[in-house]
Amino acid sequence: MSRKHSIQTLIRALAESECEFNRNGSLHSAETAAEHIKLKYSRGKRYADSAKAFIDRLARKRKSSWSGEPYQLICDGETQPAGDWLTMRLEALRSQ
């Protein structure tokens, strides 16, 4: 699977996840989260030479420039960093 395809698949999985996205203390839909991460990718492609680099450089370590807080996903009542969720999805994709 190519880097671009892997990243697009991760973004699509996020959009379809039914998780909530906590950004700056406000909750947003999974679709909004995917759009936000997609925007980060479009602006920072040069930092994402692999799906893992995309997660590490553009998702995991990303914090709100406004609040300084890391992005969180709330899935099935559990809160976790967005980067952790994406890493688990990437591992699942690679194992298929």
Side-chain angles (χ1 to χ4, degrees):
M1 183 179 307
S2 73
R3 165 190 59 117
K4 184 177 179 181
H5 181 71
S6 295
I7 293 169
Q8 290 173 339
T9 301
L10 285 172
I11 293 170
R12 188 172 42 253
L14 177 58
E16 296 170 356
S17 71
E18 297 185 20
C19 297
E20 290 182 293
F21 183 52
N22 182 345
R23 189 174 111 215
N24 300 326
S26 296
L27 295 180
H28 304 273
S29 70
E31 287 181 353
T32 300
E35 287 301 316
H36 185 72
I37 297 296
K38 188 176 181 179
L39 176 66
K40 295 282 187 186
Y41 176 59
S42 72
R43 292 180 178 170
K45 285 181 186 178
R46 67 183 174 271
Y47 302 111
D49 55 0
S50 68
K52 179 84 170 105
F54 163 73
I55 294 168
D56 288 343
R57 296 180 184 151
L58 301 177
R60 178 182 309 281
K61 294 180 182 173
R62 291 313 268 175
K63 300 177 193 176
S64 167
S65 58
W66 181 73
S67 70
E69 294 295 319
Y71 301 138
Q72 302 283 321
L73 285 175
I74 304 166
C75 306
D76 298 322
E78 287 190 37
T79 301
Q80 60 187 310
D84 291 355
W85 188 92
L86 289 166
T87 297
M88 287 188 302
R89 292 290 173 230
L90 179 61
E91 290 170 0
L93 282 171
R94 288 181 173 167
S95 69
Q96 291 179 353

